[in-house]
Amino acid sequence: MLVPTCTDTLHGFNRVRFSAAARALENQCFVAIARTVGEAEWSAALDRNRGYAAVFGPIDRGFPEDGVIAHGALDAPQWIYADLDPARIARVREEGAVRNHRDWPRQGFPEPAVARFA
């Protein structure tokens, strides 16, 4: 999952960062945040952009204990790189300590109601 972001405060950046890490955890997937960098002279709403790029994975077996696979330096223009192996995701979904993804089909939720309009 790729999350492009443009935040002008660390409050905003941290909302994006924690939300992205949560999506990686609950969906047992990779999530990358890609942010805009530097002064935003072109925008009346932003002064400058804050944060860093990062890649998150599930906080489970075979992944870092904090779920952070890679991250850049705060407020610095740069590239970050991470090797993302889909087999690791498949393995954690089948054999991880938390098996939320594997159990989804068995939850027995009813089919969603279909709205009918006359």
Side-chain angles (χ1 to χ4, degrees):
M1 186 181 307
L2 177 61
V3 180
T5 181
C6 178
T7 55
D8 63 343
T9 66
L10 289 179
H11 288 106
F13 168 69
N14 281 313
R15 281 190 293 273
V16 171
R17 179 176 65 103
F18 289 123
S19 296
R23 300 302 79 82
L25 171 67
E26 63 200 14
N27 293 299
Q28 293 178 306
C29 66
F30 296 115
V31 177
I33 54 175
R35 56 177 284 287
T36 52
V37 178
E39 299 297 321
E41 297 170 4
W42 47 267
S43 173
L46 299 171
D47 295 327
R48 64 181 179 147
N49 294 276
R50 304 292 317 268
Y52 54 77
V55 179
F56 303 98
I59 301 171
D60 207 325
R61 296 179 184 138
F63 288 89
E65 290 179 339
D66 62 359
V68 179
I69 295 171
H71 71 83
L74 183 64
D75 297 339
Q78 60 194 283
W79 291 93
I80 64 165
Y81 298 91
D83 291 322
L84 305 180
D85 182 1
R88 289 175 68 197
I89 294 295
R91 192 167 34 259
V92 81
R93 286 179 175 180
E94 263 314 299
E95 303 167 4
V98 179
R99 297 185 177 149
N100 53 324
H101 192 275
R102 191 177 78 175
D103 291 338
W104 284 349
R106 291 187 270 173
Q107 292 180 353
F109 291 114
E111 290 295 316
V114 177
R116 300 198 189 275
F117 299 96

